[in-house]
């Protein structure tokens, strides 16, 4: 079952990656660029400070701890345990992988630390900002 899922996953990845869409190359490159998200984080910071004033310092301290824990757990608990190679590092398919600007990323891709950090932040802040 796992081999079947992995085969389907690789075939779907290679199909989508092989489209070589200049629009999606541009879009995905910028979406994954960490500095593009600064306006969103600035807005969240503004909303937390506006709503909680001095208490926002504690919230921001917890956010810093949360992101650190989320990042480190995703790397040390999941990535380094599962050791699932990114497609561009997988010797079986790496020659077929289309890279944008020659960038491949770290050796392991599962679980995405960016996604883990964003999800942790969203779950944490939704309780504070949905009032």
């Amino acid at each position: 079952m796992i081999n079947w899922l992995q085969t389907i996953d690789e075939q779907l990845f290679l199909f989508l990656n092989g489209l070589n869409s200049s629009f999606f190359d541009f879009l995905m490159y910028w979406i994954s660029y960490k500095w593009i998200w600064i306006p969103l984080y600035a807005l969240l910071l503004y909303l937390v400070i506006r709503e909680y004033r001095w208490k926002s310092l504690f919230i921001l301290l917890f956010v810093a701890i949360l992101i650190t824990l989320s990042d480190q757990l995703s790397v040390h608990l999941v990535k380094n345990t599962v050791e699932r190679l990114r497609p561009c590092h997988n010797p079986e398919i790496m020659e077929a992988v289309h890279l944008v600007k020659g960038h491949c990323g770290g050796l392991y891709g599962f679980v995405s630390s960016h996604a883990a950090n964003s999800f942790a932040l969203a779950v944490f802040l939704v309780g504070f900002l949905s009032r």
Side-chain angles (χ1 to χ4, degrees), residues 64-93:
I65 293 168
L66 175 74
I67 296 300
T68 301
L69 284 173
S70 171
D71 190 69
Q72 294 305 302
L73 288 173
S74 70
V75 171
H76 298 293
L77 188 64
V78 182
K79 279 187 183 184
N80 293 340
T81 302
V82 175
E83 295 183 339
R84 182 164 189 222
L85 294 172
R86 288 183 189 270
C88 55
H89 290 297
N90 183 339
E92 296 176 14
I93 62 171

Side-chain angles (χ1 to χ4, degrees), residues 2-27:
I2 293 295
N3 290 335
W4 178 77
L5 286 174
Q6 186 170 354
T7 301
I8 296 296
D9 178 62
E10 286 177 1
Q11 290 176 352
L12 181 59
F13 169 80
L14 289 173
F15 170 74
L16 293 172
N17 180 261
L19 294 175
N20 295 335
S21 166
S22 58
F23 170 75
F24 283 112
D25 282 353
F26 173 81
L27 181 66

